[in-house]
Amino acid sequence: MKAARFDYVRATTVDVAVDALARGAVALAGGQSLVPLLNARSRRPEVVVDVSRLPLTGVEQDGSTLVLGALTRLRAAETSPVVRRAVPLLAEALTHVGHVSVRNRGTVGGSVAHADPAAELPAVFLALDAVFTARGPGGTREVDARDFFLGPYRTALAPDELLTDIRVPLPPPTARHGLAELSRRPNDLAITAVFTSVTLTDRVVTEARIAVAGAAPTPIRAHAAEELLRGQALTPEVLAGVADAAADATDPVDDVHAPAAYRRDMTAVLTRRALRQAVGG
Amino acid sequence: MKITVTVNGQTSTADCEPRRTLADFLRHDLGLTGVHVGCEHGACGSCTVLLDGATARSCCVLAVQADGSEITTVEGLATTSLSPLQESFRRHHALQCGFCTPGMLAVATELLRDNPSPTEAEIRTAISGNLCRCTGYHNIVTAIAAARDQGDSPNADTPPQPPEA
Ligand SMILES: Cc1cc2nc3c(=O)[nH]c(=O)nc-3n(C[C@H](O)[C@H](O)[C@@H](O)COP(=O)(O)OP(=O)(O)OC[C@H]3O[C@@H](n4cnc5c(N)ncnc54)[C@H](O)[C@@H]3O)c2cc1C
Ligand code: FES
Ligand code: FES
């Protein structure tokens, strides 16, 4: 289908963008989720404000934080040596977000603001306790990842707020990561995916993060599973208990892609795989 | 809104509605019907073009967003003769109806430019977002692999570097 008519504003500054949003415009970044929705007339905004040329791009390490401009293209983040060195879990997760052609256009902030419950990056940012910066007519505020994702395609961003950057506290250099994703074809949206970051001292887990995408209305952290891991060596028994606890944290739905029970069971399987990858066994 | 784009080396300025996708702009306003439109929502890959050197699904880009860009469509891949990759598609029967072919050629061109010696698995991943209803993909993979083996890439003149000691 063809999109319904709308007016188009190309934002030259963040203030112009926020001003347009405050007057009801919808932000357009890489367009990889929004343009298909416009074409299908699922969304019919009167005004679209193109924020993709704003200078909110680039990736840098600021002390113990990785800072990503919201308009950084997914492919640029994926191929950034800074991301690969500082937060390898994020670099690996990026290779799973759509196809190269989609990552060439799509932006990191667009993926977060779109908040698809099966999307990889929201789950990774939740796992790593990222902080999102939003700019609205009243100024700038920060929102923790755990308070950001409110439901499918719903976030804490107000309609007049622009996501400007994402700050990721660096995992300790000894942290290892694991990622296991189930999808129909490589680079399709996940049916279910699990992201882990684990720190070990003498084979005992001192810190663990487990986040799941595609198994609840939002990405989730499996806190009880993380708690079970801390202080333990990763024996098969511990792994089985942790995997079950991760499955218990889910709240999946039945849809055309998979029944709820399958997503729940696969969360346990994927948690085991991701943790085994993390500890290399 | 007036936009200016350079398509296959030729610069054009045209008036276009904000809701016009780049795919429709290239087809209807510039007559480049090698841009194939299958789904209009990013699912099939047949509309893929090179936008400032990187592949993009032209149905998921508004033409107004491409203002000032350089675009290569399938029409621009061949000069006076087919490109070596196109020649390999022809030789290996990598197309039947040809609907998916412009998109396949765009992603394969980008792949061989960025990774001159992809494995078969890498080739399959690279085309995984492009649907073909005819060939079963087998001959497309064969054609891309054959082009790889002929050194069909801008880096073909650079000998492979020995692994670092
Ligand atoms: C074929 C295909 C495969 C895909 N596969 C995957 C996949 O595997 N995993 C995955 O996670 N996604 C996938 N996607 C979805 C898409 O890649 C992402 O959602 C992402 O690229 C969106 O970013 P964008 O910059 O393109 O956002 P846009 O499409 O421009 O915008 C998306 C939404 O976010 C809002 N928005 C964008 N930027 C901001 C901002 N800075 N501040 C406030 N609001 C903003 C927009 O208003 C809109 O509501 C796929 C898409 C396609 C077409
Ligand atoms: S027509 Fe653009 S991806 Fe199908
Ligand atoms: S050759 Fe017909 S769709 Fe691929």
Side-chain angles (χ1 to χ4, degrees), chain A residues 2-165:
Chain A
K2 310 290 178 195
R5 277 201 182 81
F6 52 78
D7 288 335
Y8 174 84
V9 178
R10 187 177 292 152
T12 42
T13 65
V14 173
D15 287 338
V16 169
V18 170
D19 190 52
L21 293 177
R23 285 184 287 116
V26 164
L28 171 67
Q32 298 306 288
S33 289
L34 185 57
V35 175
L37 293 169
L38 293 173
N39 290 350
R41 302 199 177 193
S42 307
R43 292 188 73 179
R44 303 179 64 146
E46 278 175 23
V47 183
V48 165
V49 56
D50 184 352
V51 299
S52 65
R53 298 187 188 207
L54 292 179
L56 301 171
T57 55
V59 177
E60 61 176 33
Q61 187 176 333
D62 177 7
S64 57
T65 308
L66 179 75
V67 186
L68 299 132
L71 289 157
T72 307
R73 305 272 180 194
L74 296 164
R75 183 72 168 160
E78 171 196 351
T79 53
S80 152
V82 178
V83 175
R84 205 169 311 147
R85 184 165 17 83
V87 190
L89 172 61
L90 176 60
E92 188 179 342
L94 277 158
T95 66
H96 289 261
V97 183
H99 317 280
V100 171
S101 315
V102 171
R103 302 202 289 274
N104 283 337
R105 302 291 306 165
T107 65
V108 175
S111 173
V112 169
H114 187 58
D116 189 313
E120 290 85 359
L121 298 194
V124 169
F125 291 135
L126 186 65
L128 300 178
D129 289 332
V131 178
F132 303 120
T133 310
R135 172 92 159 262
T140 296
R141 70 180 178 121
E142 295 195 335
V143 188
D144 290 342
R146 67 167 175 274
D147 301 323
F148 189 82
F149 301 104
L150 303 182
Y153 314 106
R154 274 201 322 119
T155 71
L157 282 179
D160 58 4
E161 282 182 313
L162 186 75
L163 183 63
T164 54
D165 68 43

Side-chain angles (χ1 to χ4, degrees), chain B residues 90-109:
Chain B
R90 193 188 66 77
R91 186 164 348 103
H92 294 279
H93 307 288
L95 57 146
Q96 289 177 30
C97 78
F99 196 87
C100 67
T101 313
M104 290 287 181
L105 288 168
V107 296
T109 299

